[in-house]
Amino acid sequence: MTESITASSGQYLRFQLGAETFACDILQIREILEYHRPTTVPQMPAFVHGVMNLRGSVVPVIDLAQRLGRAPGKVLRRSCIVILQHGAPAQPHPVGMLVDAVHEVIDLHPADIMPPPPFGNQLRADFIAGLAQCDGHCLMLLQMDKVLSLEEMAALARPAGLQIQADIRSVLN
C-alpha cells in the first residue's frame, strides 16, 4: 500500500458519471449545487463546461466525464455541480465539476483500498488514487488535485502555436 493511498483514507463522496461510479476525498468538497447552466467561455478546452458566479467568485466548471476522456456529460434530472477546494490550503481555489449524480458519503479504511491495476485502465495513472469495493461494485478513487490541476488545464487552454513558441523560448534560453 502506498503512502498516498493510506493518507487519503477516510470518507469519500461517491458519484456517478455515465455507467461508472467514482469517489473523491470528502475533505476536498466544499458544497454540492443543483445544476444551472454555466456561462460558456470561448477558446477553452472542451472539458471546460463554463464558469459560474458563486457568491461573487468566478468558478470554472469542468465536465468531469470529458476531463477523464469520456463522451461529454449529459445534463440529467440528478446532474449537479460539486464544488471542490483546489490548490494550496493557504490559497484554495474553488472549482466545479459536473457529475451525473451524487450518491452518498462512504467510509473506507486503508485495508479497503487497493492500488490501481497497471493495465486495462483508460484513465491516466496519476488521476487514480486507488480502487475499492462498494456495494459489490468496483469504485475508482480519484486524485482530484491531479484531475483538476489548474496549471495543466491552463496549458491546455492555450492555442497550440503559443505553446510551441513558449516551449521553443524555454529551450533557447
Side-chain angles (χ1 to χ4, degrees), residues 40-61:
T40 58
V41 180
Q43 297 185 339
M44 286 284 114
F47 61 81
V48 178
H49 196 60
V51 295
M52 63 184 291
N53 181 344
L54 183 65
R55 292 182 290 285
S57 294
V58 175
V59 176
V61 178

Side-chain angles (χ1 to χ4, degrees), residues 142-160:
L142 297 177
Q143 292 196 106
M144 297 314 293
D145 58 328
K146 302 289 185 188
V147 174
L148 299 177
S149 168
L150 295 176
E151 296 78 21
E152 183 177 331
M153 288 190 287
L156 291 171
R158 279 189 260 147

Side-chain angles (χ1 to χ4, degrees), residues 27-49:
L27 295 177
Q28 295 177 303
I29 306 298
R30 182 168 154 184
E31 60 189 296
I32 300 169
L33 303 172
E34 181 180 338
Y35 179 81
H36 292 285
R37 178 128 183 94
T39 303
T40 58
V41 180
Q43 297 185 339
M44 286 284 114
F47 61 81
V48 178
H49 196 60

